[in-house]
């Protein structure tokens, strides 16, 4: 932060120095007169261009009024646009002309420019798009355009002040204006110092050369800085920065030691060394990593661990963020080679090995016209990791994955293979699902799938206080809504108040072939907006503006021809596509920062209280909140259940420093938010960082002791472990 501020200041100073060199010599009085008249001519043309393009935009909005949908009161918005453009066309040029003609009134310029800035901001903030694809969306884009114009005119208005101050001593009015626009404070001081000096003579050619000598390298330097920032903010990290790569054993630089006495049937892929998870905050020394591909190899691995008294942990895609998939000096069983599946299309049941990722499952189901019922919001995670935390996603009718599981095959630490379900070994089933891999290894699962369908995506902007009633009265139990989630604003002016509600429901149009799933586009743009959000409140404001106003126009929708005639911006998307998100946009190259998730569950009628408390806590701790989602979760009956009742989930995506200070800050925030959730009879989710206290854990998970008894019963040798268990359960 300090470095970039100093860098920015240095650039301004260099720019100021360049401009000073450029204009050091005083001017001929005639030159000034000539420059001003040229100036007026240009301004006239510029005003006309602005006026014509503005009129075209307004005409377009009015002409398309009917087609754009009648869900809003367009008259007010059109009037507002016309009023804004009038201000822009009439006031600014008039003011410029007067200022240039009579120096005394030049003070009006910054005032008008400030007015324009405020109006432009208002255009963006007040004129809400009332849903995607309607008139409001376009008004929103218009608002953004206003903002750009407003900011530019504001800077130009300010820039005029130094230019007018020195206009008696130099013919370089335009250059001074540009100088003042780009580096106002420096130009102003410079102009004030220079004002008293009499005009002199100079050699114009020499001045130009001097200016070029300074400006060209400066320009190159600034462009390089911008380019580097752009690349940093848009590029994915190398594997190492993302902390998940497993080193190649055969590599000459392999820092890991081979382990003696490991039987050939135990497929070790790493000996010694360390392991981490996706947060990059949990590097842990381990005994090694084994990657079994068959039931025999899995059984041999457990037998080897038992014989050596080595603790084992089970790992999927390692996207949990508190070391739930590994333990200090333990042997990690990487399940990702268990990734086969078959589908019973008669019964709509998928039999899938636990190491398969949801992406692989979706790629297999999509051509068969089938879709996953419950999974997380992103698809590189494994089925085993999902069942072991009882994850939930955006199908609000289904809720968490537990409700879709028909049965599981589980290998206990002694090598016994059991089939468990709600009816067969129900005690073990209740503890395995959501049991963080502590009772046994999930080998495979029979889970229900559903038909892939075409949905229409609707988006609306609501106040967060409206949500609980809206859900109960209009959405719950309504067949029009099959998937949903909400995003709360991260922008300072509407922080956690404004909510974008996304719902997916069946289309009314004729049935058309469902297009195959495809990778989301705009990954670099999404990464850029996330990274810009990490730069501070302005960045978070920009991210929210992009989601609110720009995203509806660039998201990957399929338009049905018939729908397109009646609703030009209808967004049709298949169920699989709606659930087909990678984590690519979240991967960042920025060093010394990482992003973490937290999730809180609160009774539905206490959500507003929770969000109010959350807003205060985040502000007090100056937390960098990049995203906040709302989900719907149903009561379940698991031993480690996070949903004691029907609840709303609030998912936070936060950025933090990777040093001890960053961790300590996040620890304070987490404990405060857990206290808040628990004071409202809520709970918190366990796949994330281990910042909570034992008391908080016990309060949220009252069956913890029962879980420990089951653990002792099914894993009497106690070899299965992980960092969560070591810290809280042991
Ligand atoms: C970007 C991101 C988005 C997320 N979105 C959501 C979301 O929308 N909803 C949600 O509920 N959660 C979400 N999560 C949390 C996620 O569901 C869990 O962290 C999940 O466990 C990750 O799966 P994984 O394959 O990476 O498991 P890992 O992190 O590898 O393991 C997680 C736990 O599962 C156990 N485990 C893994 N495989 C097995 C197995 N075969 N048998 C027994 N135990 C096993 C491990 O021992 C460990 O305790 C998200 C996480 C991230 C990073």
């Amino acid at each position: 932060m300090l470095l970039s501020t100093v860098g920015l200041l240095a650039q301004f100073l260099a720019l100021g120095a360049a401009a000073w060199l450029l204009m050091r010599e005083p001017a001929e009085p005639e030159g000034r007169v000539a420059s001003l008249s040229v100036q007026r001519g240009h301004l006239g043309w510029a005003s006309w261009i602005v006026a014509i393009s503005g009129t075209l935009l307004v005409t377009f909005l009015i002409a398309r009024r009917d087609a754009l949908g009648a869900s809003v009161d367009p008259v007010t918005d059109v009037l507002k646009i016309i009023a804004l453009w009038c201000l822009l066309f009439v006031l600014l040029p008039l003011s410029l002309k007067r200022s240039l003609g009579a120096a005394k009134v030049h003070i009006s310029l910054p005032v008008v420019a400030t007015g324009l800035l405020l109006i432009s901001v208002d255009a963006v903030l007040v004129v809400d798009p009332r849903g995607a694809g309607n008139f409001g969306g376009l008004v929103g884009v218009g608002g953004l355009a206003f903002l750009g114009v407003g900011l530019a005119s504001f800077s130009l208005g300010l820039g005029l002040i130094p230019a007018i101050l020195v206009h008696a001593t130099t013919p370089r009015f335009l250059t001074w204006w540009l100088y003042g626009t780009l580096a106002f404070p420096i130009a102003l001081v410079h102009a004030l110092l220079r004002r008293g000096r009499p005009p002199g003579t100079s050699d114009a050619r020499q001045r130009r050369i001097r200016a070029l000598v300074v400006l060209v390298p400066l320009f190159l330097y600034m462009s390089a800085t911008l380019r580097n920032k752009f690349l940093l903010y848009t590029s994915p990290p190398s594997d190492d920065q993302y902390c998940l790569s497993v080193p190649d054993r055969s590599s000459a630089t392999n820092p890991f030691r081979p382990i003696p006495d490991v039987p050939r049937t135990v497929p070790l892929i790493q000996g010694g060394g360390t392991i981490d998870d996706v947060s990059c905050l949990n590097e842990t020394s381990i005994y090694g990593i084994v990657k079994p591909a068959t039931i025999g190899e899995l059984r041999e691995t457990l037998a080897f661990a038992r014989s050596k008294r080595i603790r084992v942990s089970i790992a999927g895609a390692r996207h949990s963020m508190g070391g739930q998939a590994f333990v200090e000096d333990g042997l990690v069983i990487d399940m990702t080679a268990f990734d086969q599946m078959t589908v019973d299309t008669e019964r709509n049941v998928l039999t899938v090995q636990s190491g398969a990722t949801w992406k692989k499952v979706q790629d297999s189901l999509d051509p068969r016209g089938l879709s996953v019922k419950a999974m997380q919001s992103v698809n590189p995670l494994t089925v085993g990791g999902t069942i072991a935390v009882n994850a939930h996603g955006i199908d609000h009718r289904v809720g968490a994955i537990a409700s879709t599981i028909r049965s599981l095959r589980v290998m206990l630490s002694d090598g016994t293979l059991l089939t468990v379900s709600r009816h067969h070994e129900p005690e073990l089933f209740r503890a395995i699902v959501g049991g963080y891999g502590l009772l046994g290894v999930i080998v495979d699962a029979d889970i229900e799938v559903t038909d892939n369908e075409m949905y229409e995506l609707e988006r609306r902007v609501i106040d967060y206080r409206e949500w609980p009633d809206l859900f109960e009265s209009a959405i719950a139990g309504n067949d029009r809504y099959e998937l949903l989630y909400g995003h709360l604003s991260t922008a300072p002016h509407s922080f956690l108040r404004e909510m974008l509600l996304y719902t997916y429901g069946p289309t009314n149009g004729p049935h058309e072939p469902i297009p195959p799933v495809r990778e989301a586009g705009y990954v670099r743009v999404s990464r850029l907006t996330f990274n810009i959000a990490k730069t501070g409140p302005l960045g978070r404001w920009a991210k929210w503006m992009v989601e609110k106003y720009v995203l509806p126009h660039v998201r990957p929708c399929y338009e049905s021809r018939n729908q397109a005639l009646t609703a030009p911006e209808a967004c049709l998307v298949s169920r699989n596509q709606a659930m087909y998100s990678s984590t690519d946009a979240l991967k960042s190259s920025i060093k010394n920062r990482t992003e973490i998730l937290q999730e809180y569950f609160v009774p539905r009628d206490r959500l507003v209280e929770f969000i109010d408390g959350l807003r205060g806590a985040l502000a007090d701790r100056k937390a960098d909140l990049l995203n906040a989602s709302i989900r719907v979760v149903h009561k379940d009956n698991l031993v480690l259940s996070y949903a004691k009742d029907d609840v709303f989930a609030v998912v936070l995506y936060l950025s933090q420093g990777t040093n001890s200070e960053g961790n300590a800050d996040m620890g304070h925030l987490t404990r405060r938010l857990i206290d808040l959730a628990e004071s409202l009879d809520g709970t918190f989710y366990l796949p994330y960082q281990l910042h909570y206290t034992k008391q908080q854990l016990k309060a949220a998970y009252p069956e913890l002791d029962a879980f420990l008894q089951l653990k002792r019963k099914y894993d009497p040798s106690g070899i299965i472990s992980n960092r969560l268990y070591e810290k809280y359960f042991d």
Side-chain angles (χ1 to χ4, degrees):
M1 185 64 181
L2 187 69
L3 267 183
S4 60
T5 315
V6 172
L8 202 69
L9 275 179
Q11 288 177 26
F12 274 127
L13 283 175
L15 197 67
W20 178 74
L21 272 179
L22 183 74
M23 293 171 292
R24 213 152 54 113
E25 306 297 337
E28 308 289 339
E30 307 84 66
R32 172 176 71 85
V33 174
S35 157
L36 286 184
S37 59
V38 169
Q39 180 71 13
R40 274 198 207 107
H42 284 166
L43 280 171
W45 280 108
S47 309
W48 275 110
I49 291 169
V50 172
I52 290 168
S53 55
T55 312
L56 283 177
L57 177 71
V58 174
T59 319
F60 167 75
L61 288 175
I62 296 172
R64 296 267 290 166
R65 182 181 167 296
D66 288 340
L68 292 171
S71 62
V72 291
D73 171 20
V75 178
T76 328
D77 292 338
V78 172
L79 283 179
K80 198 161 188 172
I81 290 179
I82 294 173
L84 292 178
W85 279 107
C86 285
L87 273 176
L88 205 64
F89 309 150
V90 183
L91 272 187
L92 184 63
L94 257 186
S95 173
L96 280 175
K97 210 169 166 187
R98 287 192 70 196
S99 305
L100 295 173
K104 292 277 180 245
V105 292
H106 64 250
I107 198 69
S108 65
L109 268 167
V111 177
V112 172
T114 310
L116 279 170
L117 176 76
L118 294 178
I119 290 166
S120 307
V121 172
D122 171 71
V124 173
L125 304 187
V126 179
V127 186
D128 266 348
R130 286 121 175 139
N134 62 21
F135 180 77
L138 272 182
V139 173
V141 172
L144 273 187
F146 278 124
L147 184 70
V149 174
L151 280 173
S153 49
F154 181 65
S155 313
L156 284 169
L158 281 185
L160 261 176
I161 300 176
I164 291 170
L165 279 176
V166 297
H167 78 282
T169 60
T170 173
R172 301 244 151 227
F173 189 87
L174 278 178
T175 320
W176 267 93
W177 192 0
L178 183 66
Y179 172 32
T181 305
L182 293 176
F184 173 72
I186 298 169
L188 183 69
V189 175
H190 186 185
L192 286 170
L193 289 175
R194 170 175 186 124
R195 212 149 79 110
R197 280 208 260 144
T201 53
S202 75
D203 177 358
R205 192 158 169 272
Q206 258 192 8
R207 275 209 315 274
R208 251 178 253 129
I209 292 172
R210 262 206 308 263
L212 279 179
V213 167
V214 179
L215 284 178
V216 169
L218 189 68
F219 173 76
L220 291 177
Y221 170 72
M222 287 174 81
S223 316
T225 312
L226 268 178
R227 181 185 159 277
N228 288 347
K229 267 265 177 302
F230 181 77
L231 285 181
L232 177 72
Y233 281 11
T234 55
S235 311
S238 69
D239 270 2
D240 283 338
Q241 282 165 307
Y242 203 39
C243 301
L244 292 177
S245 64
V246 175
D248 177 5
R249 262 179 108 199
S250 59
S251 152
T253 56
N254 179 8
F256 305 106
R257 64 190 156 86
I259 301 179
D261 306 331
V262 178
R264 287 166 61 85
T265 43
V266 175
L268 197 71
I269 58 163
Q270 176 179 319
T274 61
I275 196 170
D276 209 333
D277 60 36
V278 73
S279 71
C280 296
L281 292 173
N282 293 302
E283 190 174 13
T284 302
S285 305
I286 48 168
Y287 184 87
I289 303 179
V290 173
K291 194 170 178 178
T294 62
I295 291 195
E297 286 179 349
L298 181 61
R299 193 171 274 130
E300 288 290 333
T301 302
L302 289 168
F304 170 72
R306 279 198 315 276
S307 68
K308 296 271 178 189
R309 297 293 310 152
I310 305 166
R311 285 168 305 167
V312 295
S313 66
I314 307 149
R318 276 188 275 133
H319 276 59
S320 46
M321 295 177 166
Q324 288 80 353
F326 41 84
V327 63
E328 188 87 30
D329 295 330
L331 181 65
V332 179
I333 304 181
D334 177 338
M335 290 299 290
T336 53
F338 271 75
D339 64 350
Q340 300 305 304
M341 66 195 81
T342 55
V343 191
D344 180 339
T345 46
E346 296 284 297
R347 295 190 305 140
N348 273 5
V349 172
L350 169 78
T351 301
V352 59
Q353 288 191 311
S354 63
T357 61
W358 289 110
K359 178 176 166 19
K360 189 160 181 190
V361 171
Q362 289 176 314
D363 287 342
S364 161
L365 293 181
D366 194 58
R368 297 177 159 97
L370 294 172
S371 180
V372 175
K373 266 192 167 178
M375 60 177 273
Q376 298 90 332
S377 54
V378 291
N379 66 11
L381 317 178
T382 64
V383 172
T386 305
I387 296 172
V389 303
N390 189 30
H392 45 270
I394 61 174
D395 191 324
H396 61 285
R397 296 164 317 159
V398 174
I401 190 160
S403 65
T404 71
I405 302 172
R406 290 272 176 98
S407 64
L408 302 171
R409 279 204 307 160
V410 179
M411 185 173 286
L412 301 182
S413 60
D414 64 3
T416 315
L417 195 58
L418 289 175
T419 299
V420 301
S421 70
R422 263 181 212 82
H423 313 293
H424 191 249
E425 305 272 4
E427 175 188 72
L428 189 54
F429 180 83
R430 275 189 76 227
I432 284 277
V433 179
Y436 290 81
L438 289 167
L439 271 72
V441 186
I442 300 165
V443 175
D444 50 39
D446 277 4
I447 52 180
E448 291 167 11
V449 292
T450 184
D451 289 338
N452 185 26
E453 283 178 66
M454 212 60 189
Y455 292 152
E456 184 167 342
L457 166 62
E458 262 183 60
R459 195 193 73 148
R460 51 187 121 162
V461 184
I462 60 171
D463 185 292
Y464 75 111
R465 285 166 299 193
E466 295 168 26
W467 166 242
D469 281 347
L470 178 70
F471 178 74
E472 296 299 347
S473 63
I475 296 181
N478 185 338
D479 288 348
R480 272 189 55 210
Y481 302 102
E482 307 230 359
L483 307 175
L484 72 79
Y485 60 94
H487 279 173
L488 290 164
S489 167
T490 50
H493 70 277
S494 57
F495 190 54
L496 299 184
R497 294 181 192 282
E498 202 170 36
M499 175 170 160
L500 292 176
L501 173 64
Y502 297 88
T503 54
Y504 297 78
T507 55
N508 298 322
H511 216 72
E512 296 190 7
I514 299 179
V517 280
R518 54 183 178 176
E519 292 292 348
Y522 306 105
V523 169
R524 276 179 181 262
V525 178
S526 309
R527 187 178 295 127
L528 180 68
T529 43
F530 264 113
N531 281 333
I532 286 177
K534 293 171 200 167
T535 59
L538 197 64
R540 291 197 287 278
W541 172 86
K543 177 178 169 288
W544 183 246
M545 290 296 127
V546 168
E547 172 161 6
K548 193 172 164 189
Y549 296 114
V550 181
L551 220 59
H553 304 277
V554 297
R555 67 186 160 217
C557 300
Y558 301 97
E559 275 191 15
S560 121
R561 266 173 290 106
N562 294 340
Q563 291 250 339
L565 293 177
T566 50
E569 295 192 24
C571 180
L572 302 185
V573 61
S574 71
R575 178 185 171 90
N576 278 342
Q577 191 65 54
M579 295 165 80
Y580 199 77
S581 296
S582 74
T583 46
D584 286 352
L586 307 178
K587 295 176 185 169
S588 160
S589 299
I590 297 178
K591 292 209 172 99
N592 306 324
R593 291 206 76 75
T594 187
E595 282 64 61
I596 57 102
L597 281 155
Q598 299 193 348
E599 188 161 351
Y600 301 93
F601 306 93
V602 284
R604 293 186 184 159
D605 56 352
R606 315 293 303 263
L607 179 76
V608 170
E609 284 169 82
F610 179 75
I611 293 178
D612 290 339
L614 174 66
R615 192 181 304 111
L618 291 171
D620 287 352
R621 302 227 60 98
K622 297 189 174 45
D624 285 335
L625 179 70
L626 305 182
N627 199 52
S629 312
I630 302 282
R631 305 258 184 82
V632 176
V633 173
H634 307 296
K635 179 179 174 162
D636 63 40
N637 179 32
L638 302 174
V639 183
L640 291 184
S641 162
Y642 50 74
K644 301 181 211 163
D645 218 325
D646 289 345
V647 290
F648 286 131
V650 180
V651 187
L652 308 180
Y653 189 55
L654 295 145
S655 178
Q656 70 155 85
T658 51
N659 53 14
S660 50
E661 205 185 321
N663 276 324
D665 278 352
M666 197 51 77
H668 288 299
L669 176 68
T670 311
R671 287 184 289 278
R672 179 162 164 188
L673 293 181
I674 292 175
D675 279 345
L676 173 67
E678 290 182 348
S679 73
L680 300 171
D681 222 8
T683 59
F684 63 99
Y685 202 23
L686 297 182
Y688 301 134
Q689 290 168 303
L690 310 180
H691 288 312
Y692 36 87
T693 63
K694 271 191 183 173
Q695 288 70 23
Q696 288 178 320
L697 181 69
K698 281 198 164 167
Y701 292 87
E703 285 195 62
L704 200 63
D705 288 339
F707 181 82
L708 292 180
Q709 278 174 17
L710 289 171
K711 160 91 174 138
R712 282 190 280 272
K713 177 173 170 186
Y714 290 100
D715 176 25
S717 60
I719 60 160
I720 307 183
S721 190
N722 60 30
R723 281 181 54 169
L724 169 74
Y725 181 77
E726 300 283 318
K727 179 160 181 187
Y728 296 103
F729 295 16
D730 207 6

